[in-house]
Structures are given as structure tokens and as C-alpha cells.
């Protein structure tokens, strides 16, 4: 069903696009709310950098910039601020002492985990308002949508905490 009970055409790309845009607006609001508790410490781009470090582990600056889709100079400015805040640090690469790798500190990891947990709880509250059949249909639809977009699946709540997405496209 669409707005006002109208049944959409089976392949109504516009209706699907509008529904996804509406859902993305809701998810952006959930994301902003989950980040609100740490907004005095990090910006959204800085948080995204922390997420990438959390997902992929220590990385050279060039690799990190590539994963973020930014210039190395931009990544360097972000990492400098995160280092000053105690959320990331630089280390000599043990495999090649001429290289420096950037990594998440324990405090940075705790921040990513805290924001991710807040987001998971808020999404769970929304999902619990849906009927079981709607939830099952949403799983199928979003799984297909995520696969089409190349986004990896988030593990279950009882597995290792998976930070926020941003697939490498």
C-alpha cells in the first residue's frame, strides 16, 4: 500500500524511490540523534573516519583517504583533530618502519561502540512498532536493497558490534 491506501503498480520505481527517500530521512534523523551525544567531540566526517578505522583496522593515510573518498590532505586534517582528541593515533608500521599507520584508540573504539549502540536501540524501538509480518517483509526488502547497493550486512546484536556502514563503492 502507498499513501492513502492506493495499491502501487508492481514496478512503480517512483513510488519505491519516494518510500526509500522517506525512510532515508528517518534514518538520517536516527543517525543525527545517535551522534548528538558526541557532537561536542567529533563531526560527522570525523566520526565516519573512526568508523572506517573500526571496520578495517589500522591503515596508512592514503588508504584511509581512499576509503573515505577524500583527499589525503583532508584525511590528515581530520586525523590530526582525532589524535588531539585522543580518539586515534599514529604508529610506526611494524612491517615497514618507514611507514606510519593510523589506528583507533580504545577511547575512539568506545565512542564508535556507544554511538552504534544508541543507533541500534533507536532503530529497534521503531521496528518494534511494526507488526511481525511487516518486519518480515522489511527484512526481505531491505536485504535486497542493501545487496543492490553493495552494502555489507550488519551482524546480529549478540555478535561483535558492527559500526555504521558506508560501503566501499
Amino acid at each position: 500500500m502507498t499513501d492513502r491506501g492506493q495499491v502501487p503498480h508492481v514496478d512503480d520505481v517512483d513510488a519505491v524511490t519516494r518510500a526509500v527517500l522517506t525512510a532515508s530521512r528517518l534514518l538520517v534523523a536516527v543517525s543525527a540523534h545517535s551522534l548528538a551525544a558526541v557532537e561536542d567531540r567529533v563531526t560527522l566526517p570525523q566520526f565516519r573516519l573512526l568508523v572506517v578505522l573500526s571496520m578495517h583496522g589500522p591503515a596508512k593515510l592514503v588508504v584511509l583517504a581512499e576509503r573515505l573518498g577524500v583527499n589525503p590532505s583532508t584525511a590528515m586534517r581530520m586525523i590530526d583533530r582525532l589524535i588531539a582528541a585522543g580518539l586515534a593515533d599514529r604508529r610506526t608500521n611494524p612491517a615497514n618502519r618507514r611507514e606510519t599507520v593510523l589506528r583507533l584508540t580504545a577511547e575512539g573504539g568506545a565512542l564508535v561502540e556507544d554511538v552504534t549502540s544508541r543507533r541500534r536501540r533507536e532503530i529497534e524501538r521503531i521496528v518494534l512498532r511494526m507488526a511481525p509480518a511487516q518486519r518480515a517483509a522489511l527484512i526481505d526488502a531491505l536485504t535486497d536493497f542493501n545487496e543492490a547497493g553493495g552494502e555489507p550486512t550488519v551482524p546480529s546484536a549478540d555478535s561483535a558490534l558492527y559500526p555504521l556502514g558506508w560501503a566501499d563503492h
Side-chain angles (χ1 to χ4, degrees), residues 79-159:
I79 202 75
D80 285 344
R81 290 181 184 117
L82 292 171
I83 289 170
L87 301 172
D89 67 12
R90 287 183 186 88
R91 295 286 166 114
T92 301
N93 184 351
N96 181 350
R97 303 209 37 86
R98 293 179 290 168
E99 290 179 352
T100 300
V101 293
L102 306 161
R103 67 182 190 118
L104 206 56
T105 63
E107 188 177 353
L111 187 137
V112 170
E113 185 174 327
D114 178 55
V115 170
T116 304
S117 292
R118 288 173 190 271
R119 186 165 302 176
R120 181 182 290 275
R121 286 191 307 271
E122 193 161 339
I123 290 171
E124 189 174 89
R125 279 194 291 274
I126 293 166
V127 169
L128 284 170
R129 293 184 202 137
M130 299 172 69
Q134 291 173 316
R135 292 194 297 253
L138 186 61
I139 291 168
D140 291 340
L142 289 177
T143 298
D144 292 345
F145 182 79
N146 292 333
E147 287 174 2
E151 188 67 27
T153 303
V154 174
S156 64
D158 59 351
S159 64

Side-chain angles (χ1 to χ4, degrees), residues 18-75:
R18 284 185 287 116
V20 171
L21 284 170
T22 302
S24 72
R25 194 172 57 226
L26 172 62
L27 291 170
V28 166
V30 168
S31 296
H33 188 256
S34 68
L35 281 166
V38 297
E39 70 185 352
D40 60 326
R41 297 193 67 197
V42 295
T43 64
L44 179 58
Q46 290 168 345
F47 182 74
R48 186 171 173 223
L49 188 150
L50 293 174
V51 167
V52 169
L53 285 174
S54 177
M55 285 173 51
H56 297 283
K60 296 188 303 184
L61 179 66
V62 174
V63 171
L64 190 56
E66 183 178 297
R67 287 180 177 153
L68 292 168
V70 300
N71 293 323
S73 61
T74 300

Side-chain angles (χ1 to χ4, degrees), residues 4-16:
R4 310 286 178 229
Q6 299 168 346
V7 178
H9 181 272
V10 174
D11 193 23
D12 190 343
V13 173
D14 182 60
V16 172

